[in-house]
Amino acid sequence: MLGNLFIRFRKQVETSDNQKDSALTTHYYKATFNQVFKSVEDIFRQDADCRIATVSKDHGEIAVEIDKPVPCFLIVTVVSVKPMETAVDFNISTERFSPVGMYPVLKKRLISYYEKINKLHTLVRSGKN
């Protein structure tokens, strides 16, 4: 219980295969690296609250500055796992403090990005299995 209280006040949320929270596990899509990378880049280019800071296709990374509802910084990592399987991970952080905690706001944001990608590509799985 006390652990959950501290989580609320984290100012960073990261997705990975090892996440205990199933909503924050790595998502794997049935698509090529180029297809997923372009889709992810387009999602942020079309979002008025976001500004792409850097794009490194070689490293599979897109860095995004987000203005609203909370100023934060996001790094999206896109990795080809198999010829038709591509993984997407997020790492979002903010300097902003909130008396109720920033973690729920940041987590909700990451889930919404996964939902947008889910509409564009077939989700194969999330997490390791």
Side-chain angles (χ1 to χ4, degrees), residues 53-87:
T54 59
V55 175
S56 174
K57 201 168 183 179
D58 295 343
H59 295 105
E61 287 188 351
I62 301 170
V64 184
E65 293 174 2
I66 302 167
D67 296 327
K68 294 175 189 159
V70 174
C72 41
F73 188 72
L74 173 73
I75 295 174
V76 188
T77 308
V78 180
V79 179
S80 179
V81 184
K82 297 177 187 168
M84 277 300 286
E85 190 171 309
T86 305

Side-chain angles (χ1 to χ4, degrees), residues 8 12 24 47 78 88-90 95 108:
R8 286 192 74 79
Q12 182 205 3
L24 296 175
D47 189 328
V78 180
V88 177
D89 270 313
F90 297 109
E95 295 298 312
K108 186 177 170 192

Side-chain angles (χ1 to χ4, degrees), residues 5-121:
L5 180 68
F6 288 118
I7 288 172
R8 286 192 74 79
F9 293 99
R10 285 189 190 158
K11 294 182 180 184
Q12 182 205 3
V13 182
E14 187 172 17
T15 63
S16 75
D17 277 329
N18 308 334
Q19 273 284 6
K20 289 181 181 87
D21 185 337
S22 62
L24 296 175
T25 55
T26 304
H27 280 46
Y28 294 84
Y29 296 95
K30 185 176 179 154
T32 66
F33 169 84
N34 287 333
Q35 290 168 329
V36 175
F37 195 88
K38 183 181 182 330
S39 297
V40 170
E41 193 176 353
D42 290 346
I43 287 169
F44 293 105
R45 289 211 186 279
Q46 294 161 9
D47 189 328
D49 297 331
C50 297
R51 187 178 73 74
I52 293 180
T54 59
V55 175
S56 174
K57 201 168 183 179
D58 295 343
H59 295 105
E61 287 188 351
I62 301 170
V64 184
E65 293 174 2
I66 302 167
D67 296 327
K68 294 175 189 159
V70 174
C72 41
F73 188 72
L74 173 73
I75 295 174
V76 188
T77 308
V78 180
V79 179
S80 179
V81 184
K82 297 177 187 168
M84 277 300 286
E85 190 171 309
T86 305
V88 177
D89 270 313
F90 297 109
N91 186 331
I92 191 167
S93 59
T94 184
E95 295 298 312
R96 181 71 53 90
F97 174 79
S98 167
V100 294
M102 289 309 306
Y103 188 88
V105 175
L106 297 176
K107 176 183 170 181
K108 186 177 170 192
R109 192 101 204 205
L110 295 188
I111 292 169
S112 77
Y113 293 139
Y114 273 142
E115 287 169 351
K116 287 179 182 181
I117 301 169
N118 290 353
K119 289 177 184 163
L120 301 170
H121 298 287

